[in-house]
Amino acid sequence: MSVWAILLAAGQGSRLAASGLATKKQFLPYEGAPLFWKSARTMVRVPRIAGFVFVFPEGEAEDGARTVKELAAQDDFSLPCLVATGGPRRQDSVHNGLAMLPKDCTHVLVHDSARPFASAPLIASLLAAMDGGHDAVIPAIPVADTIKRVAEDGTIAETLPRAELRACQTPQAFAVPLLQRAHAICREKSLAVTDDASMVEAIGERVATVPGEAGNIKITTPEDLRMLTTNAPVAYPCVGWGYDVHKYGPSRPLKIGGIPIDGDLQVVAHSDGDVLLHALADALLGCLGKGDIGQHFPDNDPAFDNIESAVLVTEVLDIAHREALTITHADLTIIAQTPKLSTYRRRIRDNVAQLLRVDPARVNVKATTEEGLGFTGKKHGIKAVACVTGMRQPQGAEN
């Protein structure tokens, strides 16, 4: 892929202007440069970004180009930086930015410069999803509030199912031909949209999601400006480690990583006994500093009798999203003398990746024996270890 980024800095900031702010938000000073440059500084750290197109308001593109040139020299940017003039609507500004992309550009990130805190790991997750075959990918986070549709008379018309709702963010990633086609059709049909993913949806194409970041806020209201004057949320790395053991015996059919294993082996367990997913859940809880799986799902609670371990992992992932954890990698090891797992490894990896909502390239699955030693070597049981790495927003940054 040849990936460029379109950084939108063409907004008028009408809500902030109405509150008395004279400077457009994208030009507010932050960390020694205009706010729009913060996103460029983040993206330039992503090795696969090949260049930038900055989109400035009409009448300000010439000054914007001079500013970009000065900032690029100051920060020793080695990537090309082009400038386009914005239009009356956001989609017009994106259209003008697309027109500036070089012919060899295959994929593009479209980002609102008013979201200055999007992280490099978030961008990497979008690129990984495109590597996995998606032509349109956006970051999304679960909605915390109950959302209702309101009728014209102000009464509640419908309560929407919160579990199905997501708040969408930028940057949004697209294959260039798809986004160009979406823009052309929407212009032809005079469709107005609020983001580029909506355009792709409008022409009947699918849009994938990756977990967004709670700290990836958009500077919109006067209250949001506090994020620029106080310590901004900075994601920090975290590591969690998990370990689990189950003995063989008549109870539950053997399942590893959510995949049923052929044969007669069974494990003794209160839940479905998936040793790998139990270790994974503990590793996720380790990243969060939230104890272990036994604290959250006690093995003497009838509610968890024979429950699928994937459900338990999903419950932990809900906590992870609320705590603003972005999973970057999972390294998993199964330790057993029997069964042989080489033919299952890819299926286990793909299933765990789907469960974590990450690209399979960010999940590694290994299987080993203990050469006849210990209880696993004597075929009395099975164990697994899991290591999960992630990036997490400081506590309270999501508020």
Side-chain angles (χ1 to χ4, degrees):
M1 294 190 299
S2 173
V3 185
W4 279 59
I6 296 176
L7 292 180
L8 299 172
Q12 297 301 316
S14 54
R15 273 174 282 193
L16 286 173
S19 68
L21 186 70
T23 303
K24 294 183 177 69
K25 58 189 174 185
Q26 62 268 36
F27 301 121
L28 290 171
Y30 184 69
E31 295 183 348
L35 185 63
F36 74 81
W37 195 248
K38 169 68 175 176
S39 298
R41 282 173 168 167
T42 299
M43 289 186 173
V44 80
R45 303 201 318 264
V46 179
R48 297 173 67 182
I49 301 296
F52 296 92
V53 176
F54 297 88
V55 186
F56 294 116
E58 187 175 0
E60 300 181 43
E62 189 174 332
D63 289 341
R66 280 195 295 268
T67 300
V68 167
K69 184 176 181 180
E70 292 168 2
L71 291 169
Q74 169 189 301
D75 286 1
D76 196 25
F77 265 43
S78 59
L79 299 180
C81 296
L82 308 179
V83 170
T85 298
R89 301 172 300 176
R90 182 187 186 280
Q91 65 198 78
D92 300 318
S93 296
V94 177
H95 179 266
N96 294 348
L98 284 171
M100 297 293 294
L101 294 175
K103 291 182 179 180
D104 63 350
C105 175
T106 61
H107 293 76
V108 63
L109 296 171
V110 181
H111 185 51
D112 298 325
S113 63
R115 291 187 185 270
F117 304 124
S119 73
L122 175 61
I123 296 162
S125 70
L126 291 165
L127 298 180
M130 289 198 293
D131 283 336
H134 295 294
D135 285 340
V137 192
I138 66 173
I141 60 175
V143 174
D145 298 322
T146 297
I147 306 297
K148 297 180 182 290
R149 187 170 61 84
V150 180
E152 290 184 5
D153 63 0
T155 60
I156 301 300
E158 179 185 8
T159 299
L160 302 176
R162 187 168 64 181
E164 300 177 7
L165 300 177
R166 296 293 183 270
C168 298
Q169 304 175 331
T170 68
Q172 299 184 351
F174 304 94
V176 171
L178 172 61
L179 189 57
Q180 288 175 330
R181 179 162 61 90
H183 270 265
I185 293 174
C186 287
R187 288 171 73 86
E188 179 183 335
K189 296 184 177 180
S190 299
L191 297 179
V193 298
T194 56
D195 71 348
D196 295 276
S198 300
M199 280 192 172
V200 173
E201 296 165 40
I203 66 169
E205 299 290 345
R206 294 175 64 86
V207 179
T209 64
V210 298
E213 297 174 333
N216 183 17
I217 67 162
K218 187 175 183 180
I219 305 298
T220 304
T221 68
E223 289 75 20
D224 296 332
L225 295 176
R226 290 180 297 177
M227 300 294 292
L228 307 181
T229 55
T230 60
N231 292 329
V234 177
Y236 60 90
C238 55
V239 178
W241 193 79
Y243 173 84
D244 196 47
V245 178
H246 283 293
K247 65 180 180 180
Y248 292 141
S251 181
R252 314 292 192 200
L254 183 61
K255 186 187 293 185
I256 301 176
I259 302 299
I261 305 300
D262 295 333
D264 298 326
L265 280 175
Q266 295 189 343
V267 292
V268 177
H270 180 64
S271 67
D272 69 355
D274 193 321
V275 66
L276 187 63
L277 292 189
H278 290 179
L280 176 62
D282 264 353
L284 290 165
L285 288 167
C287 281
L288 298 166
K290 295 289 185 180
D292 59 43
I293 191 172
Q295 293 174 249
H296 294 265
F297 315 107
D299 61 8
N300 58 1
D301 188 335
F304 304 120
D305 182 32
N306 201 28
I307 191 171
E308 288 191 21
S309 297
V311 174
L312 306 183
V313 173
T314 300
E315 291 287 330
V316 175
L317 287 171
D318 285 343
I319 301 172
H321 288 310
R322 292 197 298 270
E323 296 281 330
L325 172 69
T326 299
I327 298 165
T328 55
H329 193 77
D331 189 28
L332 313 172
T333 304
I334 307 146
I335 304 153
Q337 199 71 28
T338 187
K340 301 300 182 184
L341 297 172
S342 58
T343 59
Y344 293 94
R345 192 154 44 189
R346 179 182 289 271
R347 290 168 59 196
I348 293 170
R349 181 204 66 181
D350 291 348
N351 193 59
V352 170
Q354 184 177 20
L355 188 61
L356 295 177
R357 287 182 283 177
V358 301
D359 189 87
R362 291 160 62 186
V363 175
N364 187 50
V365 175
K366 307 186 294 288
T368 187
T369 71
E370 291 187 306
E371 299 186 0
L373 301 175
F375 83 95
T376 57
K378 293 180 173 58
K379 303 180 182 179
H380 293 163
I382 185 171
K383 57 188 176 183
V385 294
C387 180
V388 171
T389 58
M391 299 295 292
R392 190 177 177 194
Q393 298 293 339
Q395 191 172 18
E398 66 270 23
N399 295 331

